[in-house]
Amino acid sequence: MVIIMGVQHYEGREHRYVDYAIADVLQMMGKACRPTEDQSSRCVLMCQQTRKDFFKKFLNEALPVESMLPNNLWDHFNAEIVAKTIENKQDAVDWCTWTWFYRRMTQNPGFYNLQGTTHRHLSDHLSELVETTLADLADKKCITIEDEMDLAAINLGMICSFYYISYLTVETFSLSLKERTKLKGLLEIVSSAAEFESIPIRHHEDLLLRRIYERVPVKLEVVDYNSPHFKTFLLLQAHFSRMTLPPDLAIDQGVVLGKVINLLSACVDVMSSNSYLNALGAMDLSQMCVQAVWDSDSPLKQVPYFDRDVLDRCKAANVDSVYDIMELEDDQRNDLLRMNDKQMARVAKFVNSYPNIEVEHEIEDGDDLTAGDPITMTVRLARDVDEDDEDDQTADAPYYPGKKMVNWWLVVGDATKRALYGIKKVTVKQQLTTKLQFTLPQGEHKLKLYLICDSYMGADQDFDLETLKVAEGEDSDEDDSSDDAMEE
């Protein structure tokens, strides 16, 4: 087997060709030999004559392995603080001394910007690194620093750690997501996540991106074809529109889709932390990413082989949902779909896996409610399941790369006030009983319970709850003063 390769790639953000890292060159050369298949192999590097000795030196000698921890220390510290492995600054310094980074500092000080290798130099460098990293995390509202020493995680840091996303991303979400953010804003904000910085920009790829941009419905005021975030923005829309992309762009789109679901779940948590009911929009966007449809499309478009002709016939027959397909008689279904046996079997597989959940709900002690007191709602979910289906909880999503487990959000909110009061994410195998706890301000509240799927369109449900009257809570200061008076 023979592989011929160059040693540079085009960096779209810098508008120039840059060298592959030596480690990447070695890895790609290793692909020249297929174990158990090739008896011999050859790799030809195409490079300038002046660089021939350079590559021969590194290809024949062992390459030192250096630590990249200093470039990623923020997210590691945040995760350890959330897990309470690190509880103060001294713990952070001690944690660093157990890493490969600490071992390599003395062996290659120039690589880590050290001025010397004495114990004092190491201690000062490590202390400064810890101080600046923790200060950045505190500035981004991921952690708090108490008494200039003790560390504690707060909401944004917990979200960042739970979904394993960058602290820069969660800060972007916190600053950008507002009470009235809609689909266009959500798409733009999610596409701006730091996780998409690594999406490659190839030479002359802007010509393809321009053609895609002309065909997508959501536009931006500022267009930058050399930005990985704008490219992500286009690839997501191309996915919703089910465009056929060239192989390179299709691979990039798969990378984007592999990351975007976690980012959308983080968006939901950030918005619900601020009591924004439009977190429901981020849930809808999750459905769109999994099923490759727009929110304005018919839910029937999710079903395999439902092309424009089938959808038009279904619309004329007032068949608007997957549940309507289930209820059709065989003759009527055959007349509407007009498919062969293989296609009908695939449609049946999707329809049978489509979730149908029965919901019961009850508010405990719904009388004599006061502002600020916790209110508990019991929710019972029951789902028809196929006992023999091992992938019963896996979404049937042919356009989504990889497997996706079906999850559900339970949301209590007031649509008229655009307020979200309670939220919980669950999975439902067959039956589930769970509790939602929330508080309400003083006044009269006409609430709704929402059951939102993260993987299928058209499976959502909402229920009007009984009107709740919440009385004014007792003033805590008055209570404290009256208690003091009684003690005297």
Side-chain angles (χ1 to χ4, degrees):
M1 181 178 180
V2 179
I3 288 183
I4 301 176
M5 56 177 282
V7 294
Q8 291 184 324
H9 66 98
Y10 183 74
E11 178 53 71
R13 281 165 289 184
E14 299 181 15
H15 303 287
R16 65 187 181 93
Y17 283 92
V18 297
D19 291 336
Y20 286 116
I22 294 296
D24 292 340
V25 174
L26 291 173
Q27 185 183 38
M28 289 187 284
M29 287 181 64
K31 303 296 184 182
C33 180
R34 297 172 295 180
T36 73
E37 293 187 33
D38 299 323
Q39 294 182 348
S40 64
S41 61
R42 178 182 298 174
C43 181
V44 179
L45 286 182
M46 307 295 290
C47 64
Q48 298 92 337
Q49 181 67 30
T50 55
R51 307 195 64 201
K52 184 176 177 180
D53 292 337
F54 170 81
F55 281 105
K56 286 175 64 176
K57 171 181 171 61
F58 280 103
L59 295 178
N60 293 324
E61 297 179 6
L63 189 68
V65 178
E66 301 295 350
S67 172
M68 293 293 106
L69 182 63
N71 301 328
N72 303 282
L73 197 56
W74 295 265
D75 294 321
H76 288 284
F77 271 178
N78 180 72
E80 298 296 344
I81 293 169
V82 171
K84 297 188 177 180
T85 305
I86 295 176
E87 296 185 332
N88 54 59
K89 291 182 178 179
Q90 186 58 49
D91 287 346
V93 174
D94 294 342
W95 182 87
C96 288
T97 63
W98 290 92
T99 62
W100 175 249
F101 160 57
Y102 187 76
R103 300 292 181 272
R104 290 300 302 169
M105 284 170 65
T106 57
Q107 303 299 318
N108 192 358
F111 185 84
Y112 301 99
N113 297 320
L114 258 73
Q115 303 301 318
T117 57
T118 65
H119 179 75
R120 183 58 181 268
H121 282 102
L122 291 175
S123 178
D124 289 348
H125 181 79
L126 209 55
S127 296
E128 183 181 357
L129 184 63
V130 168
E131 284 282 352
T132 55
T133 302
L134 294 176
D136 277 350
L137 287 174
D139 184 58
K140 301 296 188 293
K141 304 295 189 296
C142 289
I143 65 171
T144 58
I145 303 176
E146 300 174 1
D147 301 326
E148 298 185 358
M149 177 58 69
D150 296 329
L151 308 173
I154 51 180
N155 186 54
L156 292 183
M158 293 177 184
I159 294 173
C160 176
S161 175
F162 184 81
Y163 295 107
Y164 203 66
I165 62 177
S166 168
Y167 77 108
L168 296 172
T169 296
V170 82
E171 183 203 24
T172 299
F173 290 171
S174 177
L175 295 176
S176 304
L177 294 168
K178 304 299 181 184
E179 186 178 10
R180 296 181 181 274
T181 302
K182 296 183 179 179
L183 175 64
K184 177 183 176 181
L186 276 169
L187 265 176
E188 189 174 357
I189 292 166
V190 171
S191 300
S192 66
E195 281 70 15
F196 299 128
E197 284 284 348
S198 59
I199 300 298
I201 303 295
R202 302 178 185 86
H203 203 19
H204 299 310
E205 197 173 59
D206 58 312
L207 301 176
L208 288 171
L209 297 180
R210 288 177 190 276
R211 291 165 59 186
I212 294 173
Y213 187 60
E214 292 172 357
R215 297 172 58 190
V216 297
V218 182
K219 309 293 184 182
L220 292 180
E221 294 181 2
V222 179
V223 176
D224 182 3
Y225 293 102
N226 293 312
S227 165
H229 301 294
F230 180 73
K231 180 176 177 179
T232 300
F233 180 78
L234 290 184
L235 292 178
L236 284 174
Q237 292 196 68
H239 176 64
F240 305 150
S241 300
R242 298 187 178 180
M243 293 183 189
T244 302
L245 299 177
D248 286 344
L249 288 181
I251 292 172
D252 295 340
Q253 188 182 66
V255 173
V256 169
L257 293 172
K259 297 178 178 181
V260 75
I261 298 299
N262 262 9
L263 295 171
L264 287 171
S265 295
C267 283
V268 171
D269 285 5
V270 170
M271 297 168 84
S272 59
S273 300
N274 293 315
S275 300
Y276 297 159
L277 189 59
N278 62 338
L280 300 177
M283 301 175 192
D284 292 341
L285 191 52
S286 176
Q287 299 171 4
M288 293 162 57
C289 290
V290 174
Q291 293 296 339
V293 291
W294 286 97
D295 58 342
S296 56
D297 289 334
S298 167
L300 292 175
K301 191 176 180 180
Q302 301 169 100
V303 186
Y305 301 113
F306 272 53
D307 55 20
R308 174 51 54 193
D309 292 337
V310 176
L311 292 175
D312 288 343
R313 289 196 296 270
C314 289
K315 184 177 180 180
N318 293 322
V319 176
D320 301 319
S321 70
V322 179
Y323 302 118
D324 293 338
I325 296 290
M326 299 177 185
E327 297 172 0
L328 291 175
E329 298 294 337
D330 291 345
D331 293 341
Q332 188 179 8
R333 185 184 299 116
N334 292 336
D335 181 59
L336 277 178
L337 305 188
R338 301 175 191 176
M339 297 178 183
N340 58 41
D341 292 342
K342 183 179 179 180
Q343 292 173 330
M344 289 293 284
R346 181 67 183 91
V347 170
K349 181 178 182 294
F350 180 91
V351 170
N352 291 334
S353 67
Y354 194 76
N356 187 5
I357 293 186
E358 295 183 4
V359 182
E360 296 179 3
H361 55 85
E362 178 185 4
I363 294 180
E364 300 177 7
D365 301 326
D367 300 327
D368 300 325
L369 299 175
T370 56
D373 287 345
I375 301 170
T376 302
M377 173 187 289
T378 302
V379 182
R380 299 177 185 85
L381 306 175
R383 184 167 74 95
D384 294 332
V385 297
D386 184 352
E387 299 290 347
D388 299 328
D389 188 358
E390 296 181 357
D391 291 334
D392 184 62
Q393 289 183 283
T394 302
D396 190 340
Y399 288 89
Y400 185 77
K403 290 187 175 181
K404 171 70 179 70
M405 177 176 283
V406 180
N407 298 300
W408 300 83
W409 280 286
L410 285 166
V411 178
V412 176
D414 188 331
T416 58
K417 298 177 183 177
R418 301 174 183 266
L420 183 149
Y421 296 114
I423 185 170
K424 193 170 190 178
K425 195 173 186 180
V426 298
T427 56
V428 185
K429 174 60 178 174
Q430 186 170 4
Q431 291 185 338
L432 176 70
T433 300
T434 188
K435 293 182 182 293
L436 270 171
Q437 281 199 333
F438 55 96
T439 59
L440 294 173
Q442 177 189 1
E444 192 172 281
H445 301 274
K446 295 181 180 179
L447 303 181
K448 276 191 174 185
L449 172 66
Y450 300 87
L451 178 67
I452 309 294
C453 184
D454 73 341
S455 303
Y456 289 101
M457 281 187 63
D460 304 337
Q461 302 181 53
D462 61 80
F463 307 89
D464 291 319
L465 304 180
E466 58 184 276
T467 301
L468 297 180
K469 295 182 180 179
V470 179
E472 182 180 2
E474 295 181 359
D475 190 284
S476 58
D477 293 334
E478 292 180 1
D479 291 345
D480 293 341
S481 61
S482 61
D483 290 341
D484 294 341
M486 289 176 66
E487 290 177 359
E488 291 176 359

